[in-house]
Amino acid sequence: MKLQRKNRLRATALGALAVSGALVLTACGSDDNSGGTTGGNGGKTSAASNIKCDDAKGQLLASGSSAQKNAMDLWVKNYMAGCSGAEVNYKSSSSGDGIIAFNQGTVGFAGSDSALKPEEVADSKKVCKGGQGINLPMVGGPIAIGYHLEGVDSLTLDAPTLAKIFDGKIKKWNDPAIAKLNSGAKLPDKAIQAFHRSDDSGTTQNLGRYLGAVAPSDWKYEAEKKWLAPGGQAASSSSDVAAQVKQVDGAIGYFELSYATSQSISTVDINTGGSAPVKATSENASKAIAAAKVKGTGKDLALELDYATKAEGAYPIVLVTYEVVCDKGNKAETLPTVKSFLNYTASDEGQKLLTDAGYAPIPTEINAKVRETIGSLS
């Protein structure tokens, strides 16, 4: 399955090449970029692509959110093919692990599906000498509710029903609340096996924000990175939750759409109260993210999302993954690579890869601010 996913991602990236003509990928991942490819050579643009390598060189370590792993796989491959003098190593773990590593000074940037908390910003000042950690929105996308139920190819749920399922209050797939939302469906008398994240996860926190905003009487838990509801079964990453749902008949779980797409997992349509249930697609997630507002101050670009949206066609369970960096006080040896790599991910070419990979690009107006901020990092 892992090989299948990689092949699919490679095909996706090559499809983007055919459309834009802007990216050149090497099928074998070769670093032989002779003929003018630059890495660490004074701001020249790579001959292999439109990636500007600047003075990027050496190894850049980063870690965090598993939500953006599939996007990072594409970005890192393209970037390293274009900038042979630089090596980017992104460790996919969790948002919580990424922030810890960032505030310990062991990574050049971290990926997080939730903006830094005030206490995390305070901790970052020990590493960002003369500055602090800031949030740069880079990847958007739907949190898919994936399910595995033999004989049921289409399923609609709403926030109250989801809240009761994940809280262990609805235990069978033929529960009247589910049947009411799926008139005519043959729902089996089968136990629901709900899977959640065991590690600190921004995906968990964003799902909690949605349930708390739309079904507050049914979801009494604070929106935290740690799963707080009792019961259910736990897995340690988005990929692990998806793998469990894929294998277990009667299972339901939450993870980024890219995992559902790559593993052919059925996803729930969400009844938002609009004219029709909304499918988990990149396009529908973009409609929700487009209404986001910047709530951060200064160079911080943390966003405020409307989880309770009833706009037609807007998929409400969304997240934005941030790249967390120092606004000032970045390490001199990694700063050029941090700026060069993030400039690529925020570029038109980098953002174009997201949709076909199951993500949603950051809205243009917000992304313009991201690029400006990246340029000012010091």
Side-chain angles (χ1 to χ4, degrees), residues 120-298:
E120 292 170 337
V121 173
D123 287 344
S124 73
K125 294 180 180 179
K126 301 172 185 176
V127 174
C128 305
K129 303 300 182 182
Q132 65 179 46
I134 58 172
N135 304 282
L136 301 179
M138 197 66 69
V139 181
I143 300 174
I145 307 299
Y147 71 97
H148 179 176
L149 195 58
E150 296 294 337
V152 179
D153 298 325
S154 177
L155 186 68
T156 295
L157 297 174
D158 58 13
T161 308
L162 276 174
K164 292 172 186 174
I165 288 173
F166 282 113
D167 198 20
K169 301 294 177 59
I170 292 179
K171 302 180 183 296
K172 291 289 189 73
W173 279 110
N174 62 348
D175 187 276
I178 300 177
K180 184 177 179 180
L181 292 164
N182 296 273
S183 179
K186 295 182 179 180
L187 299 170
D189 182 17
K190 183 183 290 291
I192 295 174
Q193 298 193 53
F195 287 88
H196 59 264
R197 291 282 290 274
S198 62
D199 50 345
D200 285 358
S201 163
T203 312
T204 294
Q205 188 170 43
N206 282 280
L207 175 63
R209 286 171 176 159
Y210 164 72
L211 295 175
V214 186
S217 61
D218 297 300
W219 191 256
K220 303 293 187 179
Y221 309 101
E222 293 294 326
E224 299 289 347
K225 292 178 182 177
K226 183 178 181 64
W227 183 261
L228 299 178
Q233 301 181 56
S236 62
S237 66
S238 288
S239 60
D240 286 346
V241 173
Q244 291 298 319
V245 173
K246 177 75 172 179
Q247 295 170 9
V248 178
D249 186 18
I252 189 170
Y254 59 93
F255 34 80
E256 293 66 43
L257 180 62
S258 60
Y259 292 97
T261 302
S262 64
Q263 297 191 45
S264 300
I265 297 173
S266 299
T267 60
V268 171
D269 297 343
I270 301 299
N271 184 336
T272 64
S275 62
V278 184
K279 294 186 177 299
T281 68
S282 296
E283 180 182 4
N284 291 344
S286 293
K287 293 176 182 177
I289 295 173
K293 298 179 181 179
V294 176
K295 66 176 181 180
T297 58

Side-chain angles (χ1 to χ4, degrees), residues 271-336:
N271 184 336
T272 64
S275 62
V278 184
K279 294 186 177 299
T281 68
S282 296
E283 180 182 4
N284 291 344
S286 293
K287 293 176 182 177
I289 295 173
K293 298 179 181 179
V294 176
K295 66 176 181 180
T297 58
K299 294 183 179 180
D300 184 78
L301 298 177
L303 301 179
E304 181 177 359
L305 298 170
D306 181 10
Y307 297 96
T309 180
K310 293 183 180 180
E312 291 299 317
Y315 184 82
I317 318 176
V318 295
L319 61 73
V320 169
T321 300
Y322 301 95
E323 313 311 338
V324 176
V325 296
C326 295
D327 58 354
K328 298 179 182 179
N330 289 277
K331 294 180 180 178
E333 62 269 26
T334 57
L335 176 61

